[in-house]
Amino acid sequence: SGTPVGMGKSRIKDINIARTTKNKSHTIGDHVLAVSVHGDSSFAGQGVVAESLGMSGLAHFTNGGTVHVVNNNQIGYTTPASHTRTTRYASDIAKFADIPVIHVNGEHPEELARAAHLAVAYRQKFRKDIVIDVWTFRKRGHNEMDEPTFTQPAMYNAINKHVSTPAKFEAKLISSGHLTKDAANSVKLEWLASLNEAFASSDTCAAKEPVRAPRWRLLGSSTSYPVEKTTGVSIDTLYEVGVKSVASGDSVKVHPRIERFHIKPRLRRLQDGHA
């Protein structure tokens, strides 16, 4: 979790801005607001999150309040919520630090916006942390290799039949007369075009050294790099191990998705010498 890093960085940025502007009436959190996004399992299970919440109100640690958004998709990689924590809600860990929690249905965008406004208003007034627990679901797997229907077939049978949140909200706006079908299609096409443009530009994108604040410019780039040494294992041996790692017995029927997205790409990379 990057929670303690984000909280600490927002505190020092806020203090530096106050010093630069010579704001004598400065209160921590006046200039910078930290927003930390979590998964439901990581929020409940990572100790560093609880530690950060526990110190969030201390005078020499506080950043004036962080808005924590828990993307609660009710599953942790392949583990159901009932097997990831003892408490009913993933956000219950915040209770020990007297941090309020707003539970909101992620399928209701307007309610989600209202929850966000309420959370920021609370933080601004009391300069304390607050949690927005967004109840929603994960449409696909944890990553490209995770097929959720393997481990959660009933859950994903229901999800795959479920109308998406954007589609439901679009239908609601059209039926209420706030949006036309043509306008909705135009917005979607513009967004898709921007994504395609960004993806195409990634081929020619070159990383640049970030601009450093004056106080960090004394830190120079590293002049020494790790030296790659041979491991003594031949390419033929590595190739053989790679092929064996995806081999299956004659009596084993491999799932088509595993065959397509794992076995065939691995063999192709081995043959091309890029594994």
Side-chain angles (χ1 to χ4, degrees), residues 145 242-249 252-271:
M145 293 306 303
V243 171
K244 291 291 186 181
S245 70
V246 292
S248 58
V252 177
K253 184 178 180 181
V254 179
H255 192 281
R257 189 175 179 85
I258 298 295
E259 179 79 26
R260 178 183 176 188
F261 292 105
H262 179 59
I263 295 178
K264 287 184 177 179
R266 175 67 64 84
L267 292 174
R268 185 165 56 249
R269 288 195 299 271
L270 286 167
Q271 292 164 0

Side-chain angles (χ1 to χ4, degrees), residues 48-118:
V48 70
V49 173
E51 292 169 2
S52 301
L53 297 177
M55 293 191 294
S56 64
L58 299 182
H60 292 88
F61 288 89
T62 183
N63 62 351
T66 297
V67 177
H68 300 271
V69 181
V70 180
N71 183 24
N72 189 349
N73 54 34
Q74 305 171 67
I75 186 171
Y77 199 162
T78 61
T79 309
S82 59
H83 291 179
T84 60
R85 61 179 183 271
T86 303
T87 59
R88 179 177 184 180
Y89 296 106
S91 56
D92 281 345
I93 189 67
K95 290 181 178 179
F96 87 95
D98 290 332
I99 296 173
V101 178
I102 304 171
H103 301 285
V104 61
N105 188 335
E107 290 193 89
H108 296 170
E110 292 161 308
E111 297 301 323
L112 186 55
R114 190 172 292 125
H117 281 291
L118 177 60

